[in-house]
Amino acid sequence: MVATLSASEPDVAERSPRRRRKDARPSELTAAALDLFVERGFAATRLDDVATRAGVSKGTLYLYFDSKEALFKAVIEEGIVPAIAAAEQQLAGHEGSAAELLRALLIGWWQQIGSTRMGGVVKLIISESRNFPDVAQYYHDHVIVRGRSLLRTALQRGFASGEFRRMDVESCIDVIIAPLLMLVIWRYSFCFCGNDIAPDDYLNTHFDLLIRGLTQAETRQ
Amino acid sequence: MVATLSASEPDVAERSPRRRRKDARPSELTAAALDLFVERGFAATRLDDVATRAGVSKGTLYLYFDSKEALFKAVIEEGIVPAIAAAEQQLAGHEGSAAELLRALLIGWWQQIGSTRMGGVVKLIISESRNFPDVAQYYHDHVIVRGRSLLRTALQRGFASGEFRRMDVESCIDVIIAPLLMLVIWRYSFCFCGNDIAPDDYLNTHFDLLIRGLTQAETRQ
Amino acid sequence: MVATLSASEPDVAERSPRRRRKDARPSELTAAALDLFVERGFAATRLDDVATRAGVSKGTLYLYFDSKEALFKAVIEEGIVPAIAAAEQQLAGHEGSAAELLRALLIGWWQQIGSTRMGGVVKLIISESRNFPDVAQYYHDHVIVRGRSLLRTALQRGFASGEFRRMDVESCIDVIIAPLLMLVIWRYSFCFCGNDIAPDDYLNTHFDLLIRGLTQAETRQ
Amino acid sequence: MVATLSASEPDVAERSPRRRRKDARPSELTAAALDLFVERGFAATRLDDVATRAGVSKGTLYLYFDSKEALFKAVIEEGIVPAIAAAEQQLAGHEGSAAELLRALLIGWWQQIGSTRMGGVVKLIISESRNFPDVAQYYHDHVIVRGRSLLRTALQRGFASGEFRRMDVESCIDVIIAPLLMLVIWRYSFCFCGNDIAPDDYLNTHFDLLIRGLTQAETRQ
DNA sequence: CATGAATGAGGTTTCATTCAT
DNA sequence: GATGAATGAAACCTCATTCAT
């Protein structure tokens, strides 16, 4: 192997396939784990099944994660980073009306979180929060609080401009978020018994009701 | 207590304490199990803990339930009967406006289901539906379908009378239910990390937004 | 209740039905136990089933027997007494030929032991001897030894009279007994898979072969 | 050991000790299980003891057998193959007299089945047939029926040649087999209480009585 | 690095035994 | 005496974790 001057940032293309594989292992494992944790719950998931789904042996898991709990935390953490990134991105100035901003936040959440693999993380956190209080607290502090903050900004802009009638902000945030969370929960829970929800219709109805519900009566005509 | 001549129908107090205990056992056990299943999930709950919480030994559980799974099903079934009863009761003619009916349904659900012990059953079903498809299907068919039917009735009455603007009924139902379910989930999940929700404010906001969101614009002034 | 002069041997007819029932309990219980021990083996038999078959509750068993093992020993002991009695009876002078005596012993064993409820005791002792060495030893010393002694008497009479050719006595005894024991084992083991044996034909053939096998060649014609 | 150029067929010795161990495990386990099942019976044997006797931990058993019952069936199956093989081998033409063939069958059975580890399988099947009807049926159909068939052949050859007097074939078979089965049962049951049988004397006596019992009277002198 | 056989603590389940009624 | 609810030790079985290869 030739020594390079700048070995510090080896290009992806330069690595051997095997090396690339090795680097990818942890996320392949967390991906497999996420699927199964979401489907069966943490306690009911066997590491054997996680390993099999990731196409490795059970022992290999322990090369990357110290314990089942460590794997769980890694699964969540891997879902937190992009969630935060998505939030940051939404924050980046949006100059439209409050309603437009609200719509952008809801649609953005669905497109970048809810409908993706990360929707599973949301469901998982909700399901297991009692068994992993520290993880839940961390998620709460870094993701939930930030998400609520975004919604608060949008609502308060609407209040300030007179676009929305004044209401209790925190309750509004909860009521706005609930259908979003419920959507991912439904998708991962009751999906099988003929209760399947069409996300687009559902979100449109949610937004439709919400905007009209928020809007000042006198502004309409 | 008044002594009666006809002892043919032995009062509860007349039975031996032993007997009285035996009759009460199943529900004592399902109550303990419900608490723990809701708190930790089915798989993470040890029968030993269920027994201890109910104040009996591990073996006693098996006098009343054939297996852990049978206990789970009993917990759910015990929650289904009152849920259906509550629904039936709501059905009993309500002659007010659609908005009033809707409010009655939401408040009634909260008072009779959501805020009671049975809220735990709701959370449990949602969490474990994938691991107990048959139980989930049964719950869906007997409880969810019926509950949705009640809401559908209310909405359609509003549409027919012109009180509500016409919207996609099924989506509306989902969007109306979601915050209710989310409320019980929150109460049993994230209750600890400073995220506690005030149910009354929350439900008022939900109803407030909802009614205004549903109402015909021209009917206001 | 009237005091009687000779209360020492109260007539059966004098006892109340209830009293008779009480006295009969132990043997009803051992009878039920024998059936199940023979059918399933000692370890695989639940006392609950024994009690149910005897028509009493589980607790009642413990009024009469200290433990499951005590019940087992009682079952065996109850089978030993009549077995010994039967043997004694056979011993009572039989003046015919050695062959006739032998036939009487074999037929007698079958009629009084093998074909009766006590055949089960024989099978049980054989099956469980390793788990109850003391019981087996007792049975060996009091029943087997005595039974072999009877056969030895018959054989030696035949040797002495020249009716039988001289052979190794102990081996002969074993070979004579084996088909008898095997008959009860078959009846309680493989009875179900089309392998049912006709006891009469079987015993006749055994005796026929045996007598001709024992008899002096020159005595025939 | 000679090094070969073609390593394509790795010799057993070349495999890792780990692998060699794994291949041997199932039969080590069934051997341990057979010993204990025969000694104590199926229900009274603890898997922990089986594992300990095989020098492994309890969990290891479950790498190779799904359940205690599966272990039992494996024990029997492992005993069936060589039993059938032994039978087939006996079948291979034997040209002597019927008496010689009969002797070969009895001695062969003792040498290849009765006196070996497989004698335990015979005892086990007899003891547990009621608790495992399907296993017993399988054994009956594949081993017992075939063994009886061999004896039937020998007997009928003797009848045809006039060497044996005509008798009821099936009864004869039963009576011939019984002392053989009883021999293994004795060896595994009453072996301890001074009742030990000398197999050679026993078998000689059985054969001696049997042949003389079967033979035509007029052929003797 | 990767494997998968092996482990054993801990869970579910059974059942002989006890005891208040 | 009779009952059967209750017990808890001990069995079967699972699976997170380790480690020799």
Side-chain angles (χ1 to χ4, degrees), chain A residues 25 57-60 63-64:
Chain A
R25 273 284 147 74
S57 76
K58 194 168 35 164
T60 301
L63 296 175
Y64 299 97

Short mmCIF file of all heavy atoms in Angstrom, two decimals, chain A residues 25 57-60 63-64, chain E residues 1-7:
data_model
loop_
_atom_site.label_atom_id
_atom_site.label_comp_id
_atom_site.label_asym_id
_atom_site.label_seq_id
_atom_site.Cartn_x
_atom_site.Cartn_y
_atom_site.Cartn_z
N ARG A 25 -21.18 -1.29 8.53
CA ARG A 25 -21.75 -2.26 9.45
C ARG A 25 -22.64 -1.66 10.54
O ARG A 25 -23.80 -2.06 10.66
CB ARG A 25 -20.63 -3.08 10.14
CG ARG A 25 -20.22 -4.27 9.38
CD ARG A 25 -21.26 -5.39 9.52
NE ARG A 25 -21.34 -6.19 8.32
CZ ARG A 25 -20.46 -7.08 7.93
NH1 ARG A 25 -19.37 -7.30 8.66
NH2 ARG A 25 -20.61 -7.76 6.83
N SER A 57 -23.41 -12.55 11.92
CA SER A 57 -23.63 -13.49 13.01
C SER A 57 -23.87 -12.71 14.31
O SER A 57 -23.57 -11.52 14.41
CB SER A 57 -22.42 -14.38 13.18
OG SER A 57 -21.40 -13.66 13.82
N LYS A 58 -24.39 -13.43 15.25
CA LYS A 58 -24.76 -12.79 16.50
C LYS A 58 -23.55 -12.18 17.18
O LYS A 58 -23.62 -11.08 17.73
CB LYS A 58 -25.41 -13.84 17.41
CG LYS A 58 -26.13 -13.27 18.57
CD LYS A 58 -26.99 -14.31 19.27
CE LYS A 58 -26.41 -15.70 19.27
NZ LYS A 58 -27.07 -16.58 20.27
N GLY A 59 -22.43 -12.87 17.12
CA GLY A 59 -21.24 -12.36 17.77
C GLY A 59 -20.77 -11.03 17.20
O GLY A 59 -20.23 -10.19 17.93
N THR A 60 -21.01 -10.85 15.93
CA THR A 60 -20.54 -9.62 15.28
C THR A 60 -21.19 -8.38 15.90
O THR A 60 -20.56 -7.32 15.98
CB THR A 60 -20.86 -9.67 13.78
OG1 THR A 60 -20.22 -10.82 13.23
CG2 THR A 60 -20.37 -8.43 13.07
N LEU A 63 -19.16 -6.75 18.40
CA LEU A 63 -17.96 -6.02 18.00
C LEU A 63 -18.26 -4.54 17.92
O LEU A 63 -17.37 -3.69 18.01
CB LEU A 63 -17.48 -6.51 16.63
CG LEU A 63 -17.01 -7.97 16.58
CD1 LEU A 63 -16.69 -8.35 15.15
CD2 LEU A 63 -15.81 -8.16 17.47
N TYR A 64 -19.53 -4.22 17.74
CA TYR A 64 -19.90 -2.82 17.54
C TYR A 64 -20.71 -2.23 18.68
O TYR A 64 -20.72 -1.02 18.86
CB TYR A 64 -20.68 -2.69 16.23
CG TYR A 64 -19.88 -3.11 15.04
CD1 TYR A 64 -20.01 -4.37 14.50
CD2 TYR A 64 -18.94 -2.24 14.46
CE1 TYR A 64 -19.26 -4.77 13.41
CE2 TYR A 64 -18.18 -2.63 13.38
CZ TYR A 64 -18.34 -3.91 12.85
OH TYR A 64 -17.58 -4.29 11.78
P DC E 1 -12.39 -3.84 13.78
OP1 DC E 1 -13.70 -3.38 13.95
OP2 DC E 1 -11.40 -4.00 14.73
"O5'" DC E 1 -12.36 -4.77 12.55
"C5'" DC E 1 -11.70 -6.06 12.58
"C4'" DC E 1 -12.32 -6.86 11.49
"O4'" DC E 1 -11.69 -8.13 11.40
"C3'" DC E 1 -13.79 -7.17 11.76
"O3'" DC E 1 -14.45 -7.36 10.52
"C2'" DC E 1 -13.71 -8.43 12.58
"C1'" DC E 1 -12.52 -9.13 11.94
N1 DC E 1 -11.70 -9.90 12.93
C2 DC E 1 -11.58 -11.28 12.76
O2 DC E 1 -12.14 -11.81 11.79
N3 DC E 1 -10.85 -12.00 13.65
C4 DC E 1 -10.26 -11.37 14.67
N4 DC E 1 -9.56 -12.12 15.53
C5 DC E 1 -10.36 -9.97 14.86
C6 DC E 1 -11.10 -9.27 13.97
P DA E 2 -16.00 -7.50 10.37
OP1 DA E 2 -16.44 -7.22 8.98
OP2 DA E 2 -16.60 -6.75 11.48
"O5'" DA E 2 -16.21 -9.05 10.65
"C5'" DA E 2 -15.85 -9.97 9.62
"C4'" DA E 2 -16.20 -11.37 10.05
"O4'" DA E 2 -15.30 -11.79 11.09
"C3'" DA E 2 -17.61 -11.53 10.60
"O3'" DA E 2 -18.25 -12.52 9.80
"C2'" DA E 2 -17.42 -11.98 12.05
"C1'" DA E 2 -16.01 -12.55 12.04
N9 DA E 2 -15.25 -12.41 13.28
C8 DA E 2 -15.06 -11.26 14.00
N7 DA E 2 -14.30 -11.43 15.06
C5 DA E 2 -13.98 -12.78 15.04
C6 DA E 2 -13.20 -13.58 15.90
N6 DA E 2 -12.58 -13.12 16.98
N1 DA E 2 -13.09 -14.90 15.57
C2 DA E 2 -13.70 -15.35 14.48
N3 DA E 2 -14.46 -14.69 13.60
C4 DA E 2 -14.55 -13.40 13.95
P DT E 3 -19.77 -12.97 10.09
OP1 DT E 3 -20.37 -13.38 8.81
OP2 DT E 3 -20.40 -11.95 10.93
"O5'" DT E 3 -19.56 -14.28 10.96
"C5'" DT E 3 -18.79 -15.34 10.41
"C4'" DT E 3 -18.56 -16.40 11.46
"O4'" DT E 3 -17.79 -15.84 12.54
"C3'" DT E 3 -19.84 -16.93 12.10
"O3'" DT E 3 -20.05 -18.22 11.60
"C2'" DT E 3 -19.55 -16.90 13.61
"C1'" DT E 3 -18.06 -16.62 13.68
N1 DT E 3 -17.57 -15.83 14.84
C2 DT E 3 -16.78 -16.44 15.77
O2 DT E 3 -16.46 -17.62 15.71
N3 DT E 3 -16.36 -15.63 16.79
C4 DT E 3 -16.65 -14.28 16.96
O4 DT E 3 -16.22 -13.65 17.92
C5 DT E 3 -17.50 -13.70 15.95
C7 DT E 3 -17.87 -12.26 16.03
C6 DT E 3 -17.91 -14.49 14.95
P DG E 4 -21.56 -18.75 11.35
OP1 DG E 4 -21.56 -19.56 10.11
OP2 DG E 4 -22.50 -17.63 11.50
"O5'" DG E 4 -21.74 -19.71 12.58
"C5'" DG E 4 -20.71 -20.61 12.96
"C4'" DG E 4 -20.88 -20.98 14.42
"O4'" DG E 4 -20.32 -19.93 15.24
"C3'" DG E 4 -22.34 -21.10 14.86
"O3'" DG E 4 -22.41 -22.05 15.93
"C2'" DG E 4 -22.61 -19.73 15.45
"C1'" DG E 4 -21.29 -19.54 16.17
N9 DG E 4 -21.03 -18.18 16.58
C8 DG E 4 -21.64 -17.03 16.16
N7 DG E 4 -21.18 -15.96 16.74
C5 DG E 4 -20.20 -16.43 17.60
C6 DG E 4 -19.36 -15.74 18.50
O6 DG E 4 -19.31 -14.54 18.71
N1 DG E 4 -18.50 -16.61 19.17
C2 DG E 4 -18.47 -17.98 19.00
N2 DG E 4 -17.60 -18.66 19.73
N3 DG E 4 -19.26 -18.63 18.16
C4 DG E 4 -20.10 -17.80 17.50
P DA E 5 -22.88 -23.52 15.60
OP1 DA E 5 -22.27 -24.00 14.36
OP2 DA E 5 -24.35 -23.52 15.78
"O5'" DA E 5 -22.23 -24.31 16.81
"C5'" DA E 5 -20.82 -24.53 16.82
"C4'" DA E 5 -20.28 -24.49 18.24
"O4'" DA E 5 -20.18 -23.12 18.70
"C3'" DA E 5 -21.13 -25.23 19.27
"O3'" DA E 5 -20.23 -25.87 20.17
"C2'" DA E 5 -21.90 -24.11 19.95
"C1'" DA E 5 -20.92 -22.95 19.90
N9 DA E 5 -21.53 -21.62 19.81
C8 DA E 5 -22.54 -21.23 18.98
N7 DA E 5 -22.86 -19.96 19.10
C5 DA E 5 -22.00 -19.48 20.06
C6 DA E 5 -21.82 -18.20 20.64
N6 DA E 5 -22.54 -17.13 20.31
N1 DA E 5 -20.86 -18.07 21.58
C2 DA E 5 -20.13 -19.15 21.91
N3 DA E 5 -20.20 -20.39 21.44
C4 DA E 5 -21.17 -20.49 20.51
P DA E 6 -20.84 -26.77 21.31
OP1 DA E 6 -19.81 -27.80 21.57
OP2 DA E 6 -22.21 -27.14 20.97
"O5'" DA E 6 -20.86 -25.79 22.56
"C5'" DA E 6 -19.63 -25.34 23.10
"C4'" DA E 6 -19.89 -24.36 24.22
"O4'" DA E 6 -20.49 -23.17 23.67
"C3'" DA E 6 -20.87 -24.86 25.29
"O3'" DA E 6 -20.17 -24.97 26.52
"C2'" DA E 6 -21.96 -23.79 25.36
"C1'" DA E 6 -21.35 -22.61 24.63
N9 DA E 6 -22.32 -21.79 23.90
C8 DA E 6 -23.18 -22.20 22.93
N7 DA E 6 -23.94 -21.24 22.44
C5 DA E 6 -23.54 -20.12 23.13
C6 DA E 6 -23.95 -18.77 23.09
N6 DA E 6 -24.89 -18.32 22.27
N1 DA E 6 -23.34 -17.90 23.92
C2 DA E 6 -22.39 -18.36 24.75
N3 DA E 6 -21.92 -19.60 24.88
C4 DA E 6 -22.54 -20.44 24.04
P DT E 7 -20.94 -25.46 27.83
OP1 DT E 7 -19.92 -26.07 28.69
OP2 DT E 7 -22.15 -26.20 27.45
"O5'" DT E 7 -21.38 -24.10 28.50
"C5'" DT E 7 -20.37 -23.12 28.78
"C4'" DT E 7 -21.03 -21.85 29.25
"O4'" DT E 7 -21.86 -21.32 28.20
"C3'" DT E 7 -21.95 -22.03 30.47
"O3'" DT E 7 -21.37 -21.33 31.54
"C2'" DT E 7 -23.29 -21.44 30.03
"C1'" DT E 7 -22.93 -20.62 28.81
N1 DT E 7 -23.98 -20.48 27.77
C2 DT E 7 -24.48 -19.24 27.49
O2 DT E 7 -24.13 -18.23 28.07
N3 DT E 7 -25.43 -19.22 26.49
C4 DT E 7 -25.90 -20.30 25.76
O4 DT E 7 -26.74 -20.15 24.89
C5 DT E 7 -25.33 -21.57 26.10
C7 DT E 7 -25.76 -22.81 25.37
C6 DT E 7 -24.40 -21.61 27.08
#
